[in-house]
Amino acid sequence: MKQLVIASRESALAMWQAEHIKARLEALYPGTQVGILGMTTQGDQILDKTLSKIGGKGLFVKELEVALEEGRADLAVHSMKDVPMNLPDGFELAAICTREDPRDAFVSNRYAALADLPDGAVVGTSSLRRESQLRARYPHLTIRPLRGNVQTRLRKLDDGEFDAIILAAAGLKRLGLHQRIRIELAPQESLPAVGQGALGIEILAGRAELAALLVPLNDAVTAACVHAERAMSRALNGSCQVPLGGYAIQRGDMLVLNGFVASVDGRTFLTARAEAPRRYADSLGRAVARQLLDQGAGDIIAALGQ
């Protein structure tokens, strides 16, 4: 192909991600001209409400999918944690790239760790997943919603609106903001979001020539881990309205998947773990979901949907 256009959100992090994929494609295919179509999505425009109240993370990808449908772009680059568990008909994920640090990061100007925060300290987070884990482990903290791009969230911290905030380590590292991280939270303390740290490339289904061009960008281990995580979330009808996390790693020849579902207040906290050969990633995800449903996850999810 002589020309490819990448659809991307216009935030600094999203543009970094698009530029990263652009550079990789140009290195692979020197004769191809690669451009970027920057777009503002509905999720970027509505900042006064939490994602769980305005329709979820799918609001970050819909406009990009329209650009693919209309032929204004050939591929869209997403953070996999923003991609709905079920893609609309006519779309496919052509590649999932090597994962960056999947952990959550503790960011504070005054405190070195979550355990150092005093009673009533205000912690900002944009996700129910993080909120439920914080409330379960640190019930003495005050959790408040925090929206906006990475720079906006850091500015609110610096302006004194929060004592600490929790962000994805991958985003901070990709933007060269490593120094803002006080500590990366171990998965045992804050289990990551499904797909966190991984980039996905979405295209229109049926574009075999384009899909073939993107094969070298796919990382088999990351893809298997993310597929397992997404299969778990899909089986649980996971969304932004449900506090859940899922994180898979490869250990030897096996994938190991940990998952949780919790109430927002953290008082009910269900965990599950299973392992399986990599080729059974989807089955592994469904197995962990079944464990959680057997413990009562369905009741939590149903209550949140009311």
Side-chain angles (χ1 to χ4, degrees):
M1 292 184 179
K2 292 185 178 180
Q3 184 172 5
L4 290 172
V5 177
I6 300 171
S8 171
R9 296 164 58 197
E10 290 186 313
S11 72
L13 179 56
M15 291 301 288
W16 182 97
Q17 294 169 172
E19 291 284 357
H20 173 70
I21 298 302
K22 177 178 183 287
R24 291 199 61 188
L25 287 170
E26 289 173 338
L28 285 166
Y29 310 110
T32 299
Q33 182 180 357
V34 185
I36 297 175
L37 173 64
M39 306 178 70
T40 300
T41 68
Q42 191 175 358
D44 296 308
Q45 293 171 331
I46 305 173
L47 298 177
D48 59 346
K49 297 186 174 101
T50 61
L51 285 174
S52 61
K53 293 180 179 177
I54 62 174
K57 292 182 176 179
L59 294 176
F60 290 127
V61 304
K62 288 180 181 177
E63 285 87 348
L64 308 188
E65 289 171 340
V66 170
L68 296 181
E69 281 184 315
E70 295 178 347
R72 291 181 287 129
D74 299 287
L75 57 145
V77 176
H78 307 299
S79 293
M80 280 305 302
K81 68 184 180 65
D82 292 339
V83 179
M85 295 307 119
N86 295 295
L87 294 180
D89 290 341
F91 296 90
E92 65 180 53
L93 284 170
I96 297 177
C97 306
T98 304
R99 199 171 212 163
E100 183 37 289
D101 191 332
R103 294 173 293 180
D104 285 330
F106 175 80
V107 182
S108 176
N109 295 328
R110 298 177 58 198
Y111 302 97
L114 277 167
D116 295 337
L117 293 172
D119 288 358
V122 179
V123 180
T125 175
S126 60
S127 81
L128 295 180
R129 171 188 63 85
R130 291 175 181 141
E131 180 176 349
S132 65
Q133 293 185 98
L134 286 168
R135 292 189 185 279
R137 293 174 172 83
Y138 303 97
H140 62 284
L141 300 178
T142 299
I143 314 300
R144 290 185 182 162
L146 174 65
R147 290 286 317 282
N149 60 36
V150 172
Q151 289 83 356
T152 297
R153 298 183 197 194
L154 290 172
R155 186 171 63 252
K156 289 180 178 181
L157 172 70
D158 294 340
D159 288 344
E161 295 182 37
F162 301 91
D163 294 297
I165 60 177
I166 310 295
L167 301 173
L172 291 166
K173 292 182 176 183
R174 284 170 174 152
L175 290 173
L177 296 169
H178 310 66
Q179 74 280 3
R180 297 304 302 261
I181 300 174
R182 281 298 186 104
I183 190 170
E184 289 102 346
L185 302 177
Q188 297 90 329
E189 184 172 13
S190 187
L191 197 70
V194 166
Q196 185 159 307
L199 300 182
I201 301 177
E202 185 181 17
I203 65 173
L204 288 179
R207 294 196 62 182
E209 183 183 0
L210 176 57
L213 290 177
L214 298 173
V215 167
L217 275 64
N218 188 68
D219 180 80
V221 173
T222 298
C225 290
V226 172
H227 283 313
E229 295 162 12
R230 286 172 62 81
M232 180 204 78
S233 183
R234 191 179 300 115
L236 293 168
N237 292 317
S239 68
C240 279
Q241 288 82 10
V242 179
L244 68 80
Y247 176 49
I249 60 171
Q250 179 166 300
R251 185 171 293 155
D253 296 329
M254 306 291 281
L255 288 187
V256 181
L257 173 62
N258 285 278
F260 86 87
V261 173
S263 57
V264 178
D265 61 14
R267 293 177 183 175
T268 303
F269 203 94
L270 311 176
T271 63
R273 178 186 181 278
E275 59 182 70
R278 196 169 81 187
R279 65 183 179 276
Y280 297 121
D282 283 357
S283 296
L284 173 61
R286 292 193 296 271
V288 171
R290 280 196 298 274
Q291 289 184 38
L292 292 167
L293 289 169
D294 288 344
Q295 295 177 57
D299 294 335
I300 295 175
I301 294 167
L304 290 167
Q306 293 175 355

